[in-house]
């Protein structure tokens, strides 16, 4: 009777081996399927690519839009430049622009998007970068409170690791369903998203409390906490070195409402001015570059009807800014041909 447990051990070991091999097989099968389906259409597998953008947020849609060869110009930033309509820039400059801005991002995420775009566009016709207050952080890591799928725009090992997570598995199934649906919806291929309706639906421009918040003066505390040097300088220098010298680069200091400007001569005002000055200085290392500066006290910045909140402006102002960006691109292209 004592030999019975020993006689069953091989059976248990065999069961455990089969179970382990089954798990490994299922995992390998899923990973192979995910790579084949390419849930966010990164172009790593073109078997099921259909040349259309599946409806999704800008964080993941930047992978498919950023690799689209049809768009030789790009706008990169966050919601502070997201109302720049790429089709309008295209009409004014003759360059097909894509809007690659991702809300709630800082320079680390934005440069990741830029790197991805440059991987797929060796000679861009023009680049527009938005340099807002997040660029002037003290921490060289530029930490963000919001997650970002760096793995989606990374190398193959990072991409494979990224696929091993529940949201990616869910999106693999979702993309399969989208591909099989003959009436599937598609998103704007150029990334245009007019979020004005979203703001209006939340009471911005109408709600008395939100109007009052718009008029609240900025606090005296300095942000950033010193006058430089700022970490953005070296990071921007490195990114500019990757951009061909024949590519016009326009850096935009986006508008903020006048009440959001720190008092002249305050530590915060001096620090922000020093940061923008360093961005300008570094930008000169690129032969075809310029700044479109909307932090220079323009009268439109004092009009409350042009803003939802202190850092998000409305479409009429965005159209003016679009024209200025287009003019800057055209000037730089003219310099290139002289």
């Amino acid at each position: 009777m004592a030999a019975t447990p020993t006689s069953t051990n091989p059976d248990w070991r065999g069961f455990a081996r089969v179970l382990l091999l089954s798990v490994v097989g299922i995992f390998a099968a899923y990973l192979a399927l995910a790579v084949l389906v390419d849930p966010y259409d990164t172009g790593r597998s073109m078997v099921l690519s259909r040349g259309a953008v599946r409806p999704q947020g800008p964080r993941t849609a930047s992978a498919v839009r950023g690799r689209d060869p049809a768009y030789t110009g790009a706008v990169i930033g966050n919601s502070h430049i997201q109302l720049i309509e790429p089709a309008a820039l295209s009409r004014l400059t003759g360059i097909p622009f894509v809007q690659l801005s991702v809300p709630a991002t800082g320079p680390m995420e934005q440069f990741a998007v830029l790197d991805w775009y440059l991987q797929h566009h060796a000679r861009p016709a023009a680049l527009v970068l938005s340099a807002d207050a997040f660029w002037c952080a003290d921490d060289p890591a530029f930490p963000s409170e919001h997650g970002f799928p760096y793995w989606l725009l990374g190398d193959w090992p990072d991409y494979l690791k990224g696929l091993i997570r529940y949201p990616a598995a869910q999106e693999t199934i979702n993309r399969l369903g989208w591909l099989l649906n003959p009436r599937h919806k598609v998103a704007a291929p150029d990334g245009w998203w007019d979020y004005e309706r979203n703001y209006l639906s939340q009471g911005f421009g109408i709600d008395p409390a939100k109007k009052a918040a718009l008029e609240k003066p900025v606090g005296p505390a300095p942000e950033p906490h010193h006058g430089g040097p700022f970490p953005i300088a070296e990071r921007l220098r490195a990114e500019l070195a990757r951009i061909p010298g024949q590519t016009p680069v326009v850096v935009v200091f986006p508008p903020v409402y006048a009440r959001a400007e720190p008092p002249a001569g305050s530590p915060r005002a001096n620090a922000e001015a020093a940061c923008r000055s360093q961005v300008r200085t570094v930008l000169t290392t690129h032969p075809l570059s310029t700044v479109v500066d909307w932090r220079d006290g323009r009268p439109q910045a004092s009009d409350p009807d042009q803003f939802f909140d202190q850092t998000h402006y409305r479409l009429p102002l965005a159209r003016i800014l679009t024209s200025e960006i287009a003019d800057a691109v055209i000037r730089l292209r003219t310099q290139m041909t002289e």
Side-chain angles (χ1 to χ4, degrees):
M1 296 297 293
T4 301
T6 304
S7 64
T8 60
N9 282 344
D11 294 335
W12 280 109
R13 286 196 295 269
F15 173 77
R17 187 180 302 111
V18 169
L19 180 61
L20 178 61
L21 290 175
S22 298
V23 170
V24 171
I26 292 172
F27 172 78
Y30 158 71
L31 194 57
L33 176 65
V35 169
L36 178 68
V37 173
D38 195 7
Y40 300 103
D41 202 4
T42 66
R44 291 180 173 89
S45 170
M46 299 298 290
V47 176
L48 298 177
S49 183
R50 294 296 180 267
V53 180
R54 183 167 60 89
Q56 59 192 287
R59 268 174 166 70
T60 53
S62 59
V64 57
R65 291 189 176 117
R67 70 175 183 83
D68 192 334
Y71 298 106
T72 56
V75 179
I76 298 173
N78 53 29
S79 58
H80 295 149
I81 201 166
Q82 197 168 2
L83 277 188
I84 301 303
E85 184 181 3
L89 270 184
S90 301
R91 287 193 300 269
L92 293 169
T93 64
I95 299 171
F97 269 91
V98 63
Q99 177 58 269
L100 295 177
S101 295
V102 180
T105 58
M108 288 295 285
E109 299 95 329
Q110 293 157 22
F111 289 147
V113 173
L114 174 62
D115 290 347
W116 177 257
Y117 183 80
L118 291 174
Q119 287 178 40
H120 296 86
H121 300 81
R123 297 182 180 276
L127 291 169
V128 178
L129 308 177
S130 174
D132 62 4
F134 292 115
W135 279 40
C136 295
D138 295 324
D139 189 341
F142 299 102
S144 173
E145 297 178 359
H146 307 274
F148 187 80
Y150 289 104
W151 63 271
L152 197 59
L153 311 179
D155 55 19
W156 265 102
D158 287 339
Y159 179 65
L160 292 176
K161 290 177 185 176
L163 290 176
I164 308 170
R165 57 186 68 196
Y166 178 74
Q170 190 175 39
E171 287 304 308
T172 298
I173 302 302
N174 290 343
R175 179 165 170 77
L176 276 174
W178 181 82
L179 289 166
L180 294 172
N181 183 354
R183 298 181 179 179
H184 58 229
K185 295 181 180 180
V186 297
D190 66 359
W192 170 236
W193 174 30
D194 175 6
Y195 61 66
E196 182 152 314
R197 293 180 182 178
N198 298 68
Y199 269 89
L200 292 174
S201 67
Q202 296 175 47
F204 286 92
I206 303 171
D207 187 335
K210 287 183 168 57
K211 283 188 174 184
L214 180 64
E215 298 299 337
K216 184 179 179 180
V218 69
E223 290 183 11
H225 304 292
H226 58 73
F230 293 90
I232 191 62
E234 289 308 310
R235 183 58 196 269
L236 178 60
R237 191 187 305 275
E239 294 300 326
L240 290 172
R242 300 187 59 236
I243 300 172
Q246 299 78 19
T247 297
V249 177
V250 178
V251 169
V252 178
F253 298 145
V256 299
Y257 187 49
R259 299 289 279 178
E261 293 285 3
S266 66
R268 177 170 176 172
N270 292 338
E272 290 187 3
C275 175
R276 293 196 295 273
S277 177
Q278 287 187 26
V279 169
R280 284 179 179 272
T281 299
V282 172
L283 192 59
T284 61
T285 63
H286 186 80
L288 283 178
S289 61
T290 191
V291 167
V292 173
D293 188 356
W294 268 77
R295 298 291 301 277
D296 58 359
R298 303 190 188 205
Q300 295 94 332
S302 298
D303 183 357
D305 292 332
Q306 296 286 352
F307 289 83
F308 292 112
D309 58 29
Q310 291 189 336
T311 63
H312 292 90
Y313 46 92
R314 299 189 61 176
L315 272 175
L317 195 154
R319 293 187 181 109
I320 299 173
L321 177 55
T322 300
S323 295
E324 289 198 23
I325 294 171
D327 289 344
V329 170
I330 292 170
R331 285 196 305 272
L332 292 174
R333 285 167 65 86
T334 301
Q335 293 176 25
M336 181 175 58
T337 59
E338 290 178 349

